[in-house]
């Protein structure tokens, strides 16, 4: 049987395009990578386009080559924006019908042209199939539908067609032609297999409708410009009429079978009319078919023969029906307009692009993603969001597993399983072994000396510190007493400041250090009490650890706690008279052995479930870790915009099986725990078990009591070690601090004595000068009286003795004895008495010395021994101890009396210059600041860089 010729679409042609340089430039500028690393990828894409240009138009290989290039373009579009604003590549394609060239920089134009060619190749491949063969007919039927699907994809996704062949009208016409031809192929198979006439009539009605649409499309397209070949118009007109006639023919047969002979005759008459119309179209074909129409040269003869046979069949059937109706049925023949419309039954539909390779590995056709090493930033961000979703899933499942494991452990611990089963089976001897924790405690105490020496060392440090503090207080008291005695004797000439105003900071430090020592002593008493309380326990554990007899001590402690149990007396001991497993009290119920075996079996199942659950979770974590959907995200980059969650949910479904397995293990565990609790409860209610269970519980309490007691001893041991170490560090630092304080006190007392000695010497000189001046004034007064009494007064002649006397000295004022902070001890107007030996400023700073704690105090050399070569010896009459006097000190909360500047009254004579403050920060409301000592009241300001007592805080 000669098959009807089919229409196939011509392919679009294109020129050469260079992909390499534009892609390399984009990789360098946007992705910041070396484009030379992608030489092979760029060359592969370029070669793929060259191969696409020579693809065969009538083979599956040509179709696959075009689709491979198209797939790579889709992947390329996800990474490289090819358009006139980014990667500018000019794509030139020639119209498939008018052959006019069109150029654009859009990658969408390139993809639309490729899809058009894929549709054309599919149509060509279907048209050349041998439909007499079963495989050929199936291939043709599928290819026509696939071609229609590809054309439909162009209309749905590519707007504003730049050429006529890609316009919506042209593509719509091609879709109708492909679907009509696919319907025709299906009808051929139904007629060949002699299917029901009613079905064939409906299928032919749909084919006639599709061909009529194609005729309308071709007519409309060819109005302004000839797009389709004339023979295409003739073929579609012919097949539209032929299929309509065929539909009426088979519907007439259906009506005749339904005893509607009049309608059948009317339909055959209409079928004859339509067939004659098709015959007229067939005779109007040109003598030769143009090669560009893609139709075979014998198209005219094939169509003419086909329509002749059909007309003959229609006329033959019409004569038979008319004869039968005239002689038998006598039914009226309705008019053509009165005939009902034949329903349509579509058998061909456009196959979507996604189903083009249904049942095949699409990745094998497209190949590996050429630029898979380049991942866009948007895809990376989406992959990060997916990783967060995976992490949430893992955390949720891990939490479920952990909760299930905890529930299982808590239930077994509450039931005291499996330990209590060992008791019932004679496992008490194992429980009497020494505990590992207890043995470790003894080993840690081994070799450690007693704490007696440590406490003796602390006591010696405390004694030394207390002695230094007492010495400091004694020196300050003696100095203050001496100063006040001299003030009483030489008042008002004794102008030295009261010591109580200057040593308040030192006394405050002494009080603070004493308070810290008292608190430290209280801590020492607590440590000593703890040491004495646990001394015997320390010795026992130390001895046990040294001699490796921790088990002996443990057994002795258990005996002392009442935990001793003779093996011969216990029914659980295998060495005794027997255990519960060997005894039967004659009860008719289940034996103890069977009950224990059942419980052990349940425990084994629980452990297996737990292990399986852990393995499933581990496998889930591994699969989640290895799950990478970067390629999926790249492929769906455009379709999942703002819909990532739906994609993530779909991808996470692949782990649903693991989640279900974990959930099943949890349900099984609950059921087994419930069964285990019931079985163990029944076992404990057995009177053969209750007595031994109570004994075991008593033994467990005794063991816990022993371990609790020695754990407390061990913790006390560690606390003692830490406390003694902290105490030793404290006393070491306190000793250094108090030594520094002692040196400062010695310096203070020494400088005060130097100052007093010089003041006393000045007072004695002033007294001598005053006596000489009074004698001179008396002589001068007598001389004036004598002059007034003489008749001829003459200038008195100065005696030799008076000429040689020094001028009278006035009593030194307070300004004459002020202290100076430079090298000399005093400043202000020099006294009239001969100057005494004083050190200069340069001499005072010639060697490094510790800064003086108060104004005018000289420092002491680095070796700590005060040596002052300029120090004047005390006068012979200066003995402060001869004048008993109680010091008058201001209140404890007041350093200086009111209205005073550094100890001086506000009512001072003109020119008074107060001494400079001591080095370091200015004094605050509470005196000079010191570092906070342990136990010392807070409130002092921190010492400055030049604080004379900075040594007090050096230990902190």
């Amino acid at each position: 049987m000669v098959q009807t010729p089919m229409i196939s679409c011509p392919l679009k042609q294109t020129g050469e395009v260079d992909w390499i340089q534009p892609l390399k430039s984009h990789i360098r500028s946007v992705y910041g990578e070396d484009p030379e690393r992608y030489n092979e990828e760029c060359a592969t894409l370029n070669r793929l386009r060259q191969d696409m240009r020579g693809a065969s138009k009538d083979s599956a290989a040509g179709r696959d080559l075009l689709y491979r290039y198209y797939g790579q373009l889709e992947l390329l579009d996800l990474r490289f924006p090819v358009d006139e604003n980014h990667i500018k590549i000019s794509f030139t394609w020639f119209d498939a019908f008018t052959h006019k060239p069109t150029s654009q920089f859009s990658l969408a134009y390139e993809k639309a042209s490729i899809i058009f060619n894929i549709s054309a190749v599919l149509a060509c491949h279907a048209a050349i199939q041998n439909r007499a063969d079963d495989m050929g007919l199936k291939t043709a039927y599928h290819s026509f539908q696939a071609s229609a699907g590809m054309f439909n994809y162009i209309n749905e996704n590519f707007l504003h067609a730049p050429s006529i062949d890609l316009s919506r009208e042209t593509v719509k016409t091609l879709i109708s032609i492909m679907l009509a031809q696919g319907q025709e192929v299906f009808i051929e198979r139904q007629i060949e297999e002699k299917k029901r006439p009613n079905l064939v009539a409906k299928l032919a009605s749909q084919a006639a409708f599709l061909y009529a649409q194609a005729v309308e499309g071709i007519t409309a397209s060819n109005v302004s410009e000839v797009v389709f070949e004339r023979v295409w118009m003739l073929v579609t007109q012919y097949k539209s009429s032929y299929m309509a006639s065929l539909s009426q023919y088979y519907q007439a047969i259906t009506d005749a079978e339904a005893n509607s002979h009049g309608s059948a005759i009317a339909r055959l008459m209409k079928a004859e009319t339509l067939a004659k119309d098709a015959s007229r179209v067939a005779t109007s074909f040109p003598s030769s078919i143009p090669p560009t129409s893609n139709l075979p040269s014998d198209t005219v003869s094939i169509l003419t023969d086909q329509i002749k046979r059909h007309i003959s069949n229609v006329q033959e059937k019409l004569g038979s029906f008319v004869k039968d109706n005239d002689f038998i049925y006598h039914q009226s023949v309705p008019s053509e307009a009165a005939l009902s419309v034949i329903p349509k039954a579509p058998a061909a539909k456009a196959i979507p692009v996604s189903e083009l390779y249904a049942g095949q590995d699409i990745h094998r056709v497209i190949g590996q993603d050429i630029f898979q090493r380049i991942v866009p930033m948007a895809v990376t961000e989406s992959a990060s969001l997916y990783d967060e979703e995976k992490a949430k899933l893992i955390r949720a499942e891990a939490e479920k597993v952990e909760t299930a494991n905890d529930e299982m452990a808590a239930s077994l611990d509450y039931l005291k399983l499996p330990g209590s089963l060992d008791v019932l089976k004679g496992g008490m001897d194992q429980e009497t072994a020494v505990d590992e924790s207890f043995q470790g405690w003894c080993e840690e105490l081994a070799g450690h000396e007693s704490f007696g020496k440590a406490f003796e060392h602390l006591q010696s440090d405390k004694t030394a510190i207390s002695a230094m503090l007492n010495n400091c207080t004694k020196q300050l008291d003696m100095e203050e007493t001496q100063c006040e005695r001299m003030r009483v004797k030489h008042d008002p000439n004794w102008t030295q400041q009261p010591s109580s105003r200057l040593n308040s900071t030192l006394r405050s430090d002494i009080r603070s250090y004493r308070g810290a020592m008292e608190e430290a002593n209280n801590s020492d008493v607590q440590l000593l009490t703890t040491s004495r309380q646990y001394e015997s326990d320390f010795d026992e554990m130390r001895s046990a650890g040294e001699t490796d007899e921790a088990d002996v001590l443990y057994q002795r402690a258990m005996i002392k706690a009442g935990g001793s149990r003779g093996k011969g007396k216990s029914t659980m001991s295998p060495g005794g008279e027997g255990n519960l497993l060997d005894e039967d009290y004659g009860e008719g119920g289940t034996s103890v052995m069977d009950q224990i075996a059942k419980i052990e079996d349940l425990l084994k199942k629980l452990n297996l479930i737990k292990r399986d659950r852990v393995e499933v979770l581990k496998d889930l974590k591994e699969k989640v870790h290895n799950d990478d959907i970067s390629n999926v995200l790249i492929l769906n980059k455009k379709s999942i915009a703002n819909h990532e969650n739906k994609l993530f949910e779909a991808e996470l479904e692949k782990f649903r099986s693991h989640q279900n397995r974990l959930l099943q293990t949890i349900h099984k565990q609950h059921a087994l725990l419930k069964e285990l609790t019931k079985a163990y409860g029944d076992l404990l209610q057995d009177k053969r078990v209750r007595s031994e269970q109570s004994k075991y519980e008593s033994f467990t309490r005794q063991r816990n009591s022993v371990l609790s007691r020695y754990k407390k001893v061990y913790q006390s041991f560690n606390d003692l070690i830490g406390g003694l170490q902290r105490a030793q560090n404290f006393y070491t630092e306190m000793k250094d601090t108090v030594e520094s304080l002692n040196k400062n006190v010695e310096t203070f007392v020494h400088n005060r004595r130097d100052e007093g000695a010089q003041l006393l010497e000045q007072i004695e000189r002033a007294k001598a000068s005053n006596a000489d001046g009074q004698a001179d004034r008396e002589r001068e007064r007598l001389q004036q009286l004598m002059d007034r009494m003489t008749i001829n007064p003459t200038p008195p002649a100065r005696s030799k003795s008076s000429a040689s006397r020094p001028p009278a000295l006035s009593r030194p004022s307070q300004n004459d004895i002020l202290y100076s902070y430079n090298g000399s001890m005093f400043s202000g107007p020099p006294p009239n008495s001969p100057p005494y030996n004083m050190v200069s400023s340069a001499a005072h700073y010639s060697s490094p010395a510790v800064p003086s704690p108060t104004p005018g105090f000289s420092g002491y050399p680095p070796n700590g021994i005060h040596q002052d070569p300029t120090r004047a010896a005390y006068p012979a009459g200066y003995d402060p101890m001869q004048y008993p006097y109680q010091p008058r000190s201001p209140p404890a909360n007041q350093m200086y009396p009111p209205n005073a500047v550094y100890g001086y009254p506000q009512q001072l004579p003109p020119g008074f210059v107060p001494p400079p403050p001591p080095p370091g920060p200015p004094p605050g409301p509470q005196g000079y600041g010191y570092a906070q000592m342990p136990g010392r009241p807070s409130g002092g300001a921190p010492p400055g860089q030049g604080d004379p007592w900075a040594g007090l805080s050096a230990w902190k």
Side-chain angles (χ1 to χ4, degrees):
M1 178 180 178
V2 180
Q3 60 187 16
T4 307
M6 298 291 180
I7 296 175
S8 60
C9 181
L11 274 68
K12 292 172 67 69
Q13 302 299 319
T14 181
E16 293 187 1
V17 170
D18 179 25
W19 279 103
I20 298 178
Q21 293 303 324
L23 291 180
K24 284 186 175 182
S25 300
H26 187 78
I27 292 173
R28 180 187 295 107
S29 60
V30 175
Y31 291 101
E33 298 188 34
D34 183 10
E36 300 302 323
R37 296 176 52 202
Y38 298 93
N39 283 336
E40 184 177 353
E41 286 86 345
C42 295
T44 300
L45 181 64
N46 209 52
R47 184 169 57 252
L48 193 59
R49 192 179 192 280
Q50 295 293 338
D51 296 341
M52 173 272 303
R53 296 176 60 201
S56 175
K57 67 177 182 179
D58 55 0
S59 66
R63 176 201 64 183
D64 293 345
L65 188 58
L66 286 167
Y67 198 78
R68 181 180 297 114
Y69 178 64
Y70 171 76
Q72 292 298 334
L73 289 182
E74 288 287 356
L75 297 174
L76 185 76
D77 193 21
L78 301 174
R79 299 178 175 87
F80 299 94
V82 181
D83 52 40
E84 58 183 357
N85 296 323
H86 299 87
I87 302 177
K88 295 185 66 174
I89 299 177
S90 179
F91 301 103
T92 301
W93 287 87
F94 296 89
D95 193 287
F97 301 105
T98 64
H99 307 293
K100 295 180 180 179
T102 302
S103 298
Q104 280 196 352
F105 295 105
S106 172
L107 185 63
Y109 177 54
E110 176 86 352
K111 291 192 291 186
S113 300
I114 296 297
I115 292 177
F116 185 93
N117 278 358
I118 294 175
S119 301
V121 169
L122 288 170
C124 294
H125 187 58
I128 65 172
Q129 295 298 316
N130 181 15
R131 298 193 295 277
D133 180 62
D134 186 63
M135 180 59 67
L137 186 139
K138 291 181 179 179
T139 301
Y141 178 62
H142 179 270
S143 297
F144 278 130
Q145 295 179 92
S147 177
M150 298 298 284
F151 279 128
N152 192 47
Y153 184 80
I154 295 175
N155 263 0
E156 291 177 353
N157 295 275
F158 301 98
L159 306 177
H160 311 293
S163 58
I164 295 177
D165 53 0
L166 296 178
S167 65
R168 297 185 64 84
E169 293 76 13
T170 302
V171 173
K172 186 177 180 180
T173 301
L174 293 173
I175 292 174
S176 298
I177 294 175
M178 297 303 133
L179 290 178
Q181 293 183 143
Q183 186 88 1
E184 182 181 357
V185 170
F186 187 78
I187 293 172
E188 289 177 355
R189 171 54 61 92
Q190 302 307 307
I191 295 175
E192 182 181 352
E193 295 179 354
K194 297 182 179 181
K195 297 291 184 179
R196 291 181 296 108
N198 183 29
L199 175 62
V200 177
K202 293 178 180 179
L203 293 173
S205 177
Q206 175 68 16
F209 172 74
L210 292 173
Y211 275 121
Q213 283 187 333
V215 171
E216 293 178 0
I218 293 174
T219 303
S221 298
N222 287 346
V223 170
S224 59
E225 183 179 2
V226 177
V227 177
F228 298 101
E229 294 284 347
R230 179 173 177 272
V231 292
W232 281 31
M233 170 70 74
L234 297 175
V235 169
T236 53
Q237 287 178 345
Y238 166 83
K239 290 192 175 184
S240 175
S241 298
Y242 173 73
M243 286 298 166
S245 175
L246 194 66
S247 174
Q248 294 293 336
Y249 174 78
Y250 280 100
Q251 186 63 37
I253 297 175
T254 303
D255 291 346
E257 292 176 352
N259 202 23
S260 297
H261 299 282
S263 296
I265 293 172
R267 290 190 182 280
L268 287 175
M269 294 173 62
K270 186 175 182 180
E272 182 180 13
T273 303
L274 292 172
K276 290 179 179 179
D277 291 341
S279 178
R280 283 194 296 272
V281 174
T283 57
S284 64
F285 271 84
S287 57
S288 62
I289 302 298
T292 57
S293 64
N294 288 341
L295 289 171
S297 57
D298 56 351
T299 298
V300 177
S301 59
I302 293 174
L303 296 180
T304 301
D305 293 341
Q306 182 187 46
I307 196 61
K308 286 180 180 180
R309 287 193 303 271
H310 177 62
I311 292 175
S312 175
N313 291 335
V314 170
Q315 291 175 348
E316 181 181 354
K317 185 68 66 175
L318 177 61
S320 175
F321 280 8
V322 169
K323 183 179 180 180
D324 292 343
N325 187 55
D326 290 342
F327 289 97
I328 301 175
Y329 306 111
H330 304 288
Q331 294 182 3
S332 61
V333 178
S335 64
E336 181 178 341
L339 294 174
S340 62
V341 178
I342 302 175
K344 302 177 182 63
K349 62 178 182 178
I351 298 177
V353 177
S354 58
E355 299 179 11
L356 177 61
Y357 289 91
Q360 302 183 40
D361 186 7
I362 188 65
H363 296 289
R364 182 186 62 81
V365 178
I366 297 178
Q368 189 178 14
D369 186 359
I370 296 178
F371 293 94
Q372 62 180 348
R373 291 191 295 167
I374 297 178
V375 180
M377 183 58 66
V379 173
T380 303
E381 294 175 356
S382 298
S384 300
L385 296 176
Y386 181 67
D387 289 341
E388 293 180 6
E389 296 297 325
K390 292 192 299 181
K392 290 179 182 178
L393 184 144
I394 289 297
R395 284 196 297 269
E397 298 304 319
E399 185 177 356
K400 293 179 183 178
V401 170
E402 184 179 1
T403 302
N405 292 340
D406 292 343
E407 290 179 355
M408 176 179 171
S411 299
L412 295 180
D413 183 66
Y414 175 75
L415 298 175
K416 300 179 181 179
L417 291 174
S420 57
L421 294 181
D422 295 336
V423 176
L424 298 178
K425 294 188 298 184
M428 178 64 76
D429 294 337
Q430 300 176 1
E431 299 297 331
T432 59
V434 62
D435 188 83
E436 294 181 359
S437 300
F438 180 84
Q439 189 170 1
W441 300 337
C442 294
E443 291 176 355
E444 287 195 30
L445 264 69
H448 192 278
E449 298 180 356
S450 63
F451 297 104
K453 293 183 178 179
F455 282 108
E456 292 176 359
H457 189 269
L458 293 182
Q459 186 61 36
S460 63
D461 287 345
K462 288 192 290 186
T463 303
I465 294 172
S466 299
M468 285 190 286
L469 291 175
N470 293 336
N471 181 55
C472 292
T473 302
K474 182 179 179 181
Q475 290 188 66
L476 292 176
D477 291 343
M478 291 177 61
E479 190 278 328
E480 186 172 353
T481 301
Q482 292 171 2
C483 177
E484 296 306 322
R485 286 177 179 174
M486 295 304 295
R487 191 182 312 279
V488 171
K489 180 179 179 181
H490 299 285
D491 188 63
N493 294 330
W494 189 263
T495 58
Q496 188 179 25
Q497 291 191 41
S499 298
S500 59
R501 301 175 181 175
L502 302 177
N503 61 15
S504 59
T505 302
L506 295 173
R507 290 186 182 275
S508 176
D509 287 341
I510 294 174
R511 287 193 300 270
S512 298
Y513 297 158
R514 287 189 188 278
M517 290 297 295
E518 289 178 1
E519 293 186 7
N521 185 66
N522 295 335
S523 300
D524 295 345
V525 171
Q526 294 179 4
L527 292 176
L528 183 60
T529 302
T530 302
S531 176
R532 291 175 178 175
Q533 179 181 356
Y534 297 105
E535 185 174 3
S536 59
D537 295 325
F538 292 159
D539 293 339
E540 288 180 352
M541 295 180 71
R542 184 186 305 109
S543 176
E546 292 174 350
T547 59
D548 198 16
E549 294 181 352
D551 53 343
V552 177
L553 177 60
Y554 180 75
Q555 295 294 340
R556 190 162 60 244
M558 291 292 293
I559 293 172
K560 187 176 180 181
S564 175
R565 303 184 67 172
K567 294 183 180 181
K569 298 179 181 181
S570 176
T571 60
M572 294 182 296
S573 173
E577 297 177 357
N579 55 39
L580 288 174
L581 304 182
D582 301 326
E583 296 180 4
D584 189 357
Y585 295 94
E587 295 186 356
T590 307
S591 65
V592 175
M593 172 65 82
D594 293 340
Q595 295 182 58
I596 292 178
K598 180 180 179 181
I599 293 175
E600 288 181 337
D601 183 59
L602 292 174
L603 289 174
K604 184 178 180 180
K605 290 181 179 179
L606 282 173
N607 290 328
L608 289 176
I609 287 176
K610 180 180 179 181
R611 184 171 60 186
D612 182 53
R613 185 165 55 234
V614 172
E615 290 295 328
V616 172
L617 180 62
K618 181 180 178 181
D619 186 49
L620 175 62
K621 289 181 178 179
E622 183 177 356
K623 288 185 179 298
V624 168
H625 177 72
N626 296 330
D627 183 32
D628 184 10
I629 64 169
S630 297
N631 291 333
V632 177
L633 292 172
I634 292 175
L635 293 174
N636 297 275
K637 178 182 177 183
K638 296 182 178 179
S639 61
I640 66 170
N642 301 323
H643 297 87
E644 293 91 347
N645 292 334
K646 294 182 179 179
L647 177 64
F648 294 164
E649 292 175 1
E651 289 295 327
L652 292 176
E653 282 296 319
K654 66 170 71 81
F655 307 116
R656 182 65 63 184
S657 60
H658 289 77
Q659 293 176 279
N660 292 336
R661 287 175 60 186
L662 291 176
L663 191 61
Q664 291 174 2
T665 60
I666 295 175
H667 291 329
K668 289 181 181 178
Q669 175 178 299
H670 289 164
L672 288 175
L673 284 176
K674 186 176 180 180
E675 185 179 357
L676 176 65
T677 302
K678 183 179 182 304
Y680 188 69
D682 295 341
L683 177 64
L684 294 182
Q685 293 301 320
D686 196 319
K687 65 181 182 180
R688 296 167 291 182
V689 175
R690 275 179 288 180
S691 61
E692 291 301 323
Q693 181 70 16
S694 63
K695 293 178 183 178
Y696 176 73
E697 291 176 354
S698 176
F699 173 80
T700 302
R701 286 193 298 270
Q702 293 162 1
R703 181 188 59 185
N704 293 339
S705 176
V706 170
L707 291 178
S708 176
R709 172 173 174 266
Y710 279 99
K711 182 179 181 180
K712 186 176 181 181
V713 173
Y714 173 72
Q715 291 177 347
S716 299
F717 173 78
N718 289 333
D719 293 343
L720 272 174
I721 292 178
L724 289 173
Q725 183 62 41
R726 290 191 295 272
Q728 185 62 49
N729 294 338
F730 171 80
Y731 287 123
T732 300
E733 295 173 354
M734 179 61 78
K735 192 173 183 180
D736 295 339
T737 302
V738 173
E739 287 178 353
S740 176
L741 174 64
N742 190 39
K743 291 180 180 179
N744 290 333
V745 169
E746 291 178 354
T747 302
F748 173 77
V749 172
H750 178 74
N751 290 341
R752 291 282 292 176
R753 289 180 178 175
D754 283 352
E755 181 184 357
Q758 294 182 12
L759 182 58
L760 180 60
E761 182 180 357
Q762 185 177 0
I763 292 172
E764 292 177 351
R765 290 182 180 178
K767 288 181 179 181
S769 299
N770 290 338
D772 293 341
Q774 187 175 2
D776 292 338
R777 287 194 297 273
E778 184 65 25
R779 283 192 296 271
E780 185 175 355
R781 187 179 63 82
L782 293 175
Q783 182 64 39
Q784 291 176 356
L785 290 175
M786 294 296 293
D787 291 341
R788 286 198 298 270
M789 292 174 63
T790 58
I791 299 174
N792 296 319
T794 57
R798 184 178 298 273
S799 62
K800 181 178 181 182
S801 62
S802 65
S804 62
R805 291 195 185 107
L809 295 179
S810 63
R811 180 175 178 175
S813 65
Q814 194 172 13
N815 289 337
D816 298 334
I817 56 174
L818 287 177
Y819 314 128
S820 171
Y821 189 64
N822 57 15
S824 60
M825 190 61 67
F826 301 98
S827 65
N832 292 332
S833 59
Y836 40 84
N837 189 13
M838 298 172 64
V839 65
S840 65
S841 298
H844 182 74
Y845 290 105
S846 60
S847 60
V850 178
S852 301
T854 58
F857 293 171
S858 62
Y860 53 86
N863 58 11
I865 302 175
H866 180 74
Q867 296 177 356
D868 188 1
T870 64
R871 174 184 173 187
Y874 294 152
Y878 177 60
D879 186 4
M881 297 304 294
Q882 296 177 1
Y883 307 95
Y885 176 77
Q886 297 299 327
R888 298 187 297 269
S889 300
N893 59 355
Q894 181 178 341
M895 177 177 293
Y896 301 114
N899 301 324
V901 179
Y902 294 107
Y904 291 94
Q906 291 291 348
Q907 293 78 12
L908 298 177
F912 170 74
V913 179
Q926 301 298 330
Y928 298 108
Y930 300 96
Q932 181 70 25
M933 293 289 295
R936 174 181 176 180
S938 62
Q945 296 293 334
D947 190 348
W949 316 121
L952 299 180
S953 60
W955 62 276
K956 187 162 178 66

